[in-house]
Amino acid sequence: MATQHDIALTHALTGIPGPLPSSGVIHVSFPHASRFTIVGNHLAQHDGLSLTAIGIGVHIQSLPAGSQVGIKALTARFAEGETTIAAALRELETHGYLHRTRTRLANGRLTTRTVFCDQPSALLRGGAVAPAPVAVAVAPRPVMTPVVPVPPPAPEPTPVPEEEHPPVRVPSRIAPKPPRRPLPQPRELTPELHRAASALLADLRRHAPELVLSEDDVEELAPGAAAWLERGAHPDAVRHALTAELPQPPKYPAKIVRHRLAALLPPPLPGSSDLAPVRRAPATPFQTCEGCDRAFRSPDPGHCRDCRGQYWEAA
């Protein structure tokens, strides 16, 4: 069944003069009297911008001055993630539509000033800035006037003001990064232990030429290596854990060593008492009752509980 919208669209198409194209889009246009934005084809049909960048550019151009158009605000408004929106804003900056600068306020705080230019080419030519657009009534275009049947008069509905809904926060598609593990620390960093840990770290480049650590890196990572040595790890075992299966090429050797010292830290060696087998309490042996030949548990031979009760009653 055709809906009221479909019927109205059919009548509107019959009012368009000239033959309709056999394929492609057909425009049914009505003049806007309010709540509209003028967008140039240089933005709407830009061949160097992605569809996301064009859509965000049109959205920013439709907002009033003072609106928040940062990555966080746009992520809360749309379903795209922060990475997609940040890339689209960089495209608009590259083609001159968006300008973001860091300025210092009178109270000393830094803020980001965002300027959106709807015609970058006119800005380069030094054209005059147009005043803020004012909504005016636009005369209907004669070529696009559809013929719509006049419905019977109906009572005018009471206008209802539009409710402003708060922006819906869409969860980001990017999982938050887990906090970095702290560098392990020994219980007591003696000079001898610190010297051995520093020598172990400085010697890593002999076994893995990619792991070249600076003096500051060795000084910072020495407590982590000392924690391994304090727990009884052999220097060869520590060296193998830090140099085996390195990513090629390693971009940040100090970060790789720090991560492995924290993530692969072995537990302390157990003591001799921890390795001793658990002793079980000896089981009470079975005895045969001398009165009724019933089996019962007792450390000493004698009578069972029932027989002892009978003897006590008889006594």
Side-chain angles (χ1 to χ4, degrees):
M1 174 180 285
T3 63
Q4 184 178 2
H5 180 77
D6 295 334
I7 297 174
L9 181 59
T10 303
H11 285 288
L13 291 176
T14 58
I16 299 178
L20 298 180
S22 59
S23 62
V25 66
I26 301 175
H27 294 282
V28 178
S29 302
F30 295 92
H32 290 77
S34 62
R35 296 182 59 83
F36 65 92
T37 301
I38 300 176
V39 180
N41 286 340
H42 54 82
L43 174 59
Q45 301 178 7
H46 201 291
D47 56 358
L49 292 175
S50 63
L51 187 60
T52 303
I54 294 175
I56 291 179
V58 173
H59 174 73
I60 295 176
Q61 188 171 342
S62 68
L63 295 176
S67 301
Q68 299 296 325
V69 293
I71 297 176
K72 297 294 184 182
L74 294 176
T75 305
R77 172 63 177 81
F78 298 103
E80 283 74 13
E82 293 185 1
T83 304
T84 303
I85 291 179
L89 292 178
R90 287 194 296 269
E91 291 183 43
L92 294 173
E93 282 185 314
T94 302
H95 292 84
Y97 288 96
L98 190 68
H99 301 268
R100 292 182 290 185
T101 56
R102 298 283 288 178
T103 58
R104 188 177 298 274
L105 302 177
N107 57 4
R109 295 181 57 185
L110 289 176
T111 184
T112 301
R113 171 173 293 176
T114 304
V115 178
F116 187 87
C117 179
D118 60 354
Q119 292 194 44
S121 58
L123 182 65
L124 295 178
R125 294 193 303 267
V129 179
V134 179
V136 295
V138 181
R141 297 169 57 186
V143 296
M144 300 304 296
T145 303
V147 179
V148 181
V150 179
E156 296 184 358
T158 304
V160 179
E162 296 184 358
E163 298 181 0
E164 295 184 359
H165 299 278
V168 180
R169 176 65 182 179
V170 180
S172 176
R173 300 178 183 177
I174 303 176
K177 294 183 179 180
R180 187 174 63 173
R181 296 186 180 183
L183 187 69
Q185 301 291 328
R187 289 178 297 178
E188 182 181 0
L189 186 59
T190 61
E192 294 79 8
L193 189 60
H194 185 274
R195 188 182 309 109
S198 300
L200 176 63
L201 294 174
D203 186 62
L204 290 179
R205 64 177 182 268
R206 292 185 178 177
H207 306 273
E210 304 91 341
L211 296 182
V212 179
L213 303 178
S214 64
E215 293 185 358
D216 293 340
D217 295 336
V218 172
E219 186 66 23
E220 179 184 356
L221 300 176
W228 282 61
L229 298 177
E230 186 184 55
R231 296 190 176 192
H234 194 273
D236 292 339
V238 181
R239 188 179 299 108
H240 180 268
L242 299 180
T243 58
E245 298 181 359
L246 292 173
Q248 298 297 329
K251 295 183 179 180
Y252 306 103
K255 291 184 178 181
I256 295 176
V257 175
R258 179 189 179 91
H259 172 74
R260 294 194 175 190
L261 287 175
L264 305 179
L265 179 67
L269 290 176
S272 56
S273 58
D274 300 329
L275 298 176
V278 180
R279 295 183 178 181
R280 299 179 59 184
T284 303
F286 282 100
Q287 306 291 344
T288 302
C289 179
E290 297 177 356
C292 63
D293 292 337
R294 181 187 299 175
F296 68 98
R297 288 186 180 275
S298 176
D300 301 317
H303 295 83
C304 65
R305 180 176 55 187
D306 296 339
C307 294
R308 287 197 303 268
Q310 294 176 3
Y311 291 152
W312 289 342
E313 291 178 359

